[in-house]
Amino acid sequence: MFISNKLKNLSVTTFIHTLFSITITILIVTFLLFLSWDKDRQKIEEVKRYQLIAITFLSNLRQSPSSKNLERLYKNLKVSPVSSEEKSVIKKQIMSKGKTIFTGGSRIGKVRVFDVDKKRYIYVQRMGYTLMLKDKKTKNFNFEYAIAIGVFLISLLLLLYVAILKKLYPLKRLHKQIQKFAHGDLHTRISYEYDDEIGKIAKSFDDAIIHIHELSTSKNLFMRNVMHELKTPITKGRIVVEMLEDEETKSVLIRAFERMNELISELATLERVTTQSFEPNFEYVMLSEILKVSQELLMTQSSLIHIDIDDRALTTDKKLMALAIKNLLDNGIKYGNQKSVLLKTNQDVIEIISEGKKLEHDFAYYTEPFSQEEKRSAGFGLGLYIVNNILKKLRYRLAYKHENGNNIFLIMPERRRVQRD
C-alpha cells in the first residue's frame, strides 16, 4: 500500500527517469553476465580443442604417418606446419614474449600451445621428434557481436528516453503557464506547437483562460457600475429622509439606507479580496490595536463586547484582520441570544463566543455567498464569506464549534486544527 501511494504521487518525469534507469541497469548487468558466460564457454571449448589436437597428433606420430595423412590431419584440425626457416624465429619470439596457454600430453609425448602477438603456435614433442604448427582456426566473433548488440540496445533505449522526455517537455511548459495563471496573471496565454493530445489539452486550457478572463472582466465591470449607480440614489435618499418629520418612518428609512450602504461596502471588499492578484499589506502589529480598529468599524456600544486576551504581536494586514474580526463580532451581537459577544485568545487562536443554538447546516454552507439561516432577516449572507476569504489571504483559517450552548468562531493559523471535546 505504501509503495502504491508513492507511485501515485510520483511525477511522470520522475517515473520515466526511474523506469529507464532500472531498464538500462538491468540490460547492462545482463550484458556483462552474458559476456562473462561467453568468455568462460570459449575457454572451455578452446581447452577441449587443444586436448583433441594433443591426443590426435601424439597418437598419429607414434604410427609414423605419411605426409598425406599429416595433410589430412592439418586440414581437419585447422592447423598448418611451420617451415624450418620460420621455426627459429618463432622460437625466439616464444622465449621473449610468448605466453603458454595450454600444456598437455602423456608418457609418449607432450603438447604445448603458445600465444605470440595473438597468434597461436602448437609445439608437439614426442621421443626426440618435434613438430611446430600454426593454429589457423578463424577467430570467434561472438564477443564482438555481443558488444555491438549491447551498444545498439543501450543506444536505442537512450534515444527512446530522450524522445519521450522531449515529447513530455510541453507538459512542463503547460504546468508553468497554468501556475502563472493561478497566481493571478489573467493575461497568461497557453502556447502549444503540435496538435497532439498535449496540444489539445493546452488549447482547451487556453480557451478556458480566455473565457474566465472575459467573465472576470464582465463581473468586475458589472459590480463597479452597480455600486457606482447605487451610491447616488442612496445618498440622495438619505438626504431626503433627514427632512421627514415622522421620526418612526424616518428611523426605518435611515436604517434601510444604512443597510444598503453596508451591502455596497461588503461587495466592494468582496471584489477586492477575492481578486487573484490581491496581496495583503503584512505588517507587525499588536492584537489590541487590531481590536481597537474593529470596534471603531463596528460602531456599537462597547458594553456589548467583552474582551479577554493575552495581547500579542501578529504579522498580518491590520485593516483586513480588523474587518474580519468586526464581521464576526457583528455576527455574534446580531444573532446571539444575549446580543453580546466574548472575544478571547487561546494560545495562538482567537475565539469569538456568543450564546445561541447550534447552526442548522454544515459550517461550509455559511462560508458561501448569500447564505444565512431562514429565520434571519438581517444581513445579506456575505459576512462569513468575506471573513473566510480575508483569512485565507492572511494565511489563517476560519473554524466553528458549538460548546455548552455557545457558538464559537475560531481564527487560527492554517496549520492548526479544531480541538473538539
Side-chain angles (χ1 to χ4, degrees), residues 214-323:
E214 291 174 351
L215 288 177
S216 178
T217 303
S218 299
K219 183 263 294 182
N220 292 338
L221 183 61
F222 171 76
M223 290 188 69
R224 287 168 187 169
N225 285 338
V226 167
M227 288 185 287
H228 176 73
E229 293 298 327
L230 286 176
K231 280 286 186 181
T232 301
I234 289 172
T235 304
K236 289 181 178 179
R238 184 73 171 76
I239 294 172
V240 171
V241 166
E242 292 292 341
M243 300 177 183
L244 294 176
E245 295 182 358
D246 187 344
E247 291 298 327
E248 185 176 348
T249 304
K250 181 179 178 179
S251 176
V252 171
L253 291 174
I254 288 175
R255 182 56 186 160
F257 283 118
E258 286 178 350
R259 292 303 295 150
M260 280 189 272
N261 268 325
E262 287 178 15
L263 174 59
I264 292 173
S265 298
E266 288 182 0
L267 289 173
T269 302
L270 182 61
E271 182 198 8
R272 187 166 63 96
V273 172
T274 56
T275 303
Q276 287 284 352
S277 58
F278 174 76
E279 289 294 334
N281 179 30
F282 287 102
E283 58 181 321
Y284 194 70
V285 59
M286 299 301 292
L287 177 58
S288 57
E289 295 180 36
I290 296 173
L291 295 181
K292 183 179 179 181
V293 176
S294 297
Q295 288 177 293
E296 291 173 355
L297 291 172
L298 193 57
M299 293 186 296
T300 189
Q301 296 180 15
S302 58
S303 60
L304 301 180
I305 303 172
H306 307 284
I307 296 176
D308 179 16
I309 64 168
D310 294 324
D311 200 11
R312 65 183 63 203
L314 303 176
T315 303
T316 187
D317 187 310
K318 180 179 178 180
K319 292 182 179 179
L320 285 181
M321 181 60 82
L323 180 59

Side-chain angles (χ1 to χ4, degrees), residues 88-117:
S88 58
V89 176
I90 293 171
K91 282 184 177 180
K92 291 180 181 179
Q93 290 178 342
I94 290 173
M95 294 294 293
S96 60
K97 54 183 177 180
K99 181 181 178 183
T100 304
I101 60 172
F102 176 79
T103 301
S106 62
R107 291 179 298 173
I108 59 174
K110 181 182 286 188
V111 174
R112 285 180 291 176
V113 180
F114 302 99
D115 183 286
V116 181
D117 296 330

